[in-house]
Amino acid sequence: MENRKKVAFYTLGCKLNFSETSTIARNFNDEGFDRVDFEDVADIYVINTCSVTENADKQFKQVVKKAMKLNEKAFVAAVGCYAQLKPEELAAVDGVDLVLGATEKFKITDYIHDLSKNDMGEVHSCEIAEADFYVGSYSIGDRTRAFLKVQDGCDYKCTYCTIPLARGISRSDALENVLKNAKEISAQNIREIVLTGVNIGDYGKGEFGNKKHEHTFLDLVQALDKVEGIERLRISSIEPNLLKNETIEFVSKSRTFVPHFHIPLQSGSNDILKLMKRRYLREVYIDRVAKIREVMPHACIGVDVIVGFPGETDEHFLETYHFLNELDISYLHVFTYSERDNTEAADMEGVVPSNVRAKRSKMLRGLSVKKRRAFYESQLGTNRTVLFESENKEGYIHGFTENYVKVKTPWNPELVNTLQEINLTKIDEDGSVRIEFLNKLAEA
């Protein structure tokens, strides 16, 4: 047993990457490797990369450096989106031995024959058109929630995005398989499952490895709602044009789906939405928010927005700012536009100077703080259910209500991974909400 090899993983980027890292880690386990923390000395370090922001490139180099510091003889493999888009660039990074693209990453153990260091990283990356099969995966990040991948790839051609180049066409897991994975997760005493994918509202497409499909996103949601043992289901990001009224109605009455939506907007200006080749105009977004508020007044609505897109004038930006300010939403995820190779937007005119991008980003982040505060204030005095997490942070335990209000209360290990009925009492200095327990048991 002494000579079992050790493997460590580092994930950059989205929840989908986390679920895929977990699946890759289980493959190593089946091949007789022991998983250790990335901070530990390992024989192999696997880095799951992201291509969405400029920082991802810099982060990758720092992570490789960290691995080399821990064990200079370690074998370093890069997988994921950035590995598919720019394999040669990653292979040239000092210390990298293997780079695997979109289809190869799930067969990584086939490529690791000997663990001797290479002078130059070896690249195995498919033409992205070959990424047409589906690999299901899920991750158990902490003990309280899991990310369940239901879909991969994207058929949309947004002008700023490299994801279709990195992940291929839209394709989905078979419904039976999603349900099987959900049951496996719930059997491990995990209370909450977050559904993830690249474009999950497109679920169903590519179920049979072609464009034909039997199921829709609504079918998926309805089937998952019936799985025994799952207490909470959360939809991650979903496109506004794919979030149908029927789905919103169903969530409002469902047993397990929580009233929390994250809906990318990207711009509040129709001119910019057209330049981005988004598949809706702002009027659709107004309708979606209105529908959610009609059937779930207390729902949490998060928004993705990009600032500094080519052609975005001050007027366009203010249009976005005022649009969001007036919209009844709960928080923003603000992204500063960064040029990506092989995208239409990279060649567009009207480049916004980086200092202007930074200023706009700061303004929207300020608006997000204001929106979240107003949302939390609207929830004070209401009774909710909190799922508590496992970390003791400076003597407090944190958790989230079903509608994504972050709460805190003095640390009590018995609360970890439990659902508790509470009343939201006041907002703390750090922005989280203090609570009172409705059942005395929890206070004991």
Side-chain angles (χ1 to χ4, degrees):
M1 288 306 283
E2 290 311 295
N3 54 7
R4 276 172 73 99
K5 298 281 186 202
K6 294 186 172 66
V7 61
F9 298 87
Y10 197 100
T11 306
L12 295 159
C14 63
K15 296 181 175 107
L16 184 57
N17 271 3
F18 279 92
S19 73
E20 293 182 343
T21 298
S22 286
T23 299
I24 293 166
R26 288 194 283 274
N27 294 345
F28 271 97
N29 205 25
D30 297 344
E31 297 285 332
F33 287 82
D34 288 329
R35 182 175 183 174
V36 296
D37 282 343
F38 202 85
E39 278 60 42
D40 297 338
V41 174
D43 300 291
I44 302 182
Y45 291 96
V46 178
I47 305 165
N48 195 352
T49 64
C50 164
S51 68
V52 174
T53 63
E54 270 182 313
N55 277 350
D57 317 1
K58 297 185 191 106
Q59 280 176 307
F60 175 73
K61 289 179 178 147
Q62 284 161 357
V63 177
V64 174
K65 214 176 252 176
K66 190 171 163 187
M68 292 285 82
K69 212 173 254 178
L70 289 162
N71 177 8
E72 60 180 30
K73 294 191 176 71
F75 189 89
V76 176
V79 300
C81 290
Y82 193 31
Q84 174 66 37
L85 287 175
K86 302 216 168 158
E88 270 69 26
E89 208 169 285
L90 291 196
V93 171
D94 217 18
V96 175
D97 300 293
L98 179 68
V99 179
L100 297 182
T103 60
E104 293 80 8
K105 63 188 170 194
F106 295 108
K107 305 181 291 229
I108 181 169
T109 49
D110 298 353
Y111 292 97
I112 297 173
H113 310 299
D114 75 71
L115 297 182
S116 52
K117 297 290 289 170
N118 295 327
D119 292 340
M120 176 79 183
E122 193 182 309
V123 174
H124 296 275
S125 107
C126 65
E127 284 302 313
I128 198 61
E130 292 164 25
D132 57 0
F133 60 89
Y134 184 84
V135 177
S137 52
Y138 62 84
S139 83
I140 293 166
D142 49 23
R143 297 212 300 275
T144 50
R145 72 172 55 82
F147 300 116
L148 171 59
K149 173 181 163 187
V150 298
Q151 182 276 343
D152 200 350
C154 188
D155 293 341
Y156 287 10
K157 300 282 186 282
C158 301
T159 54
Y160 52 82
C161 186
T162 56
I163 295 294
L165 301 170
R167 284 185 169 271
I169 58 168
S170 178
R171 52 210 190 274
S172 308
D173 205 350
L175 191 58
E176 310 77 79
N177 201 42
V178 174
L179 297 176
K180 178 180 86 67
N181 283 340
K183 284 173 189 147
E184 279 176 22
I185 293 166
S186 69
Q188 299 182 51
N189 194 25
I190 282 165
R191 311 279 184 192
E192 179 174 308
I193 293 177
V194 183
L195 301 185
T196 113
V198 172
N199 187 357
I200 63 173
D202 214 17
Y203 175 80
K205 209 186 252 187
E207 233 179 317
F208 304 104
N210 53 26
K211 292 296 173 214
K212 195 163 87 30
H213 61 93
E214 211 171 293
H215 299 105
T216 62
F217 184 67
L218 181 60
D219 295 336
L220 171 76
V221 167
Q222 289 170 332
L224 280 166
D225 197 45
K226 297 189 186 108
V227 175
E228 288 299 313
I230 299 176
E231 292 178 72
R232 272 188 182 183
L233 281 155
R234 206 178 284 278
I235 296 167
S236 64
S237 188
I238 183 164
E239 294 282 303
N241 52 309
L242 295 174
L243 177 57
K244 303 288 188 241
N245 284 348
E246 298 82 0
T247 305
I248 296 170
E249 296 265 1
F250 181 79
V251 167
S252 74
K253 301 185 189 75
S254 100
R255 181 180 69 88
T256 54
F257 277 89
V258 294
H260 175 205
F261 295 89
H262 192 92
I263 314 167
L265 168 69
Q266 310 310 16
S267 175
S269 158
N270 281 342
D271 293 346
I272 300 296
L273 288 173
K274 287 172 188 166
L275 283 174
M276 290 176 164
K277 290 196 179 164
R278 300 292 286 157
R279 299 203 173 187
Y280 54 86
L281 295 175
R282 58 188 250 162
E283 289 70 19
V284 170
Y285 205 92
I286 294 170
D287 286 351
R288 291 300 172 267
V289 172
K291 180 66 187 175
I292 293 167
R293 288 281 167 245
E294 177 200 324
V295 294
M296 289 170 273
H298 62 294
C300 180
I301 304 175
V303 183
D304 284 343
V305 61
I306 295 171
V307 296
F309 188 80
E312 184 186 62
T313 61
D314 286 346
E315 290 72 26
H316 289 131
F317 171 70
L318 287 173
E319 208 182 331
T320 294
Y321 187 92
H322 294 310
F323 180 72
L324 289 165
N325 194 27
E326 285 155 29
L327 211 54
D328 191 358
I329 50 141
S330 318
Y331 65 90
L332 305 172
H333 279 172
V334 184
F335 298 90
T336 304
Y337 171 75
S338 64
E339 285 78 2
R340 311 314 277 147
D341 289 347
N342 304 317
T343 59
E344 266 187 72
D347 301 321
M348 285 182 182
E349 290 172 6
V351 173
V352 179
S354 52
N355 61 326
V356 177
R357 295 184 206 186
K359 192 175 109 192
R360 289 176 186 173
S361 172
K362 196 174 173 186
M363 279 175 72
L364 283 184
R365 285 173 210 271
L367 181 61
S368 181
V369 170
K370 193 178 97 174
K371 285 284 184 185
R372 195 185 296 265
R373 177 95 193 181
F375 174 61
Y376 281 12
E377 279 172 1
S378 76
Q379 296 302 300
L380 294 180
T382 61
N383 294 344
R384 297 279 172 242
T385 306
V386 169
L387 173 58
F388 281 105
E389 301 187 341
S390 52
E391 211 180 328
N392 179 345
K393 286 185 183 164
E394 296 170 3
Y396 288 94
I397 185 169
H398 292 81
F400 284 93
T401 62
E402 63 276 37
N403 62 340
Y404 214 55
V405 174
K406 188 178 188 182
V407 308
K408 68 188 275 196
T409 197
W411 171 255
N412 173 356
E414 285 168 25
L415 291 175
V416 170
N417 199 26
T418 65
L419 287 156
Q420 300 290 341
E421 302 296 318
I422 53 99
N423 180 272
L424 298 167
T425 58
K426 67 174 207 281
I427 300 178
D428 210 40
E429 300 88 77
D430 66 0
S432 51
V433 179
R434 292 301 196 112
I435 57 174
E436 273 172 8
F437 289 95
L438 296 176
N439 48 346
K440 291 295 164 206
L441 267 177
E443 291 179 327

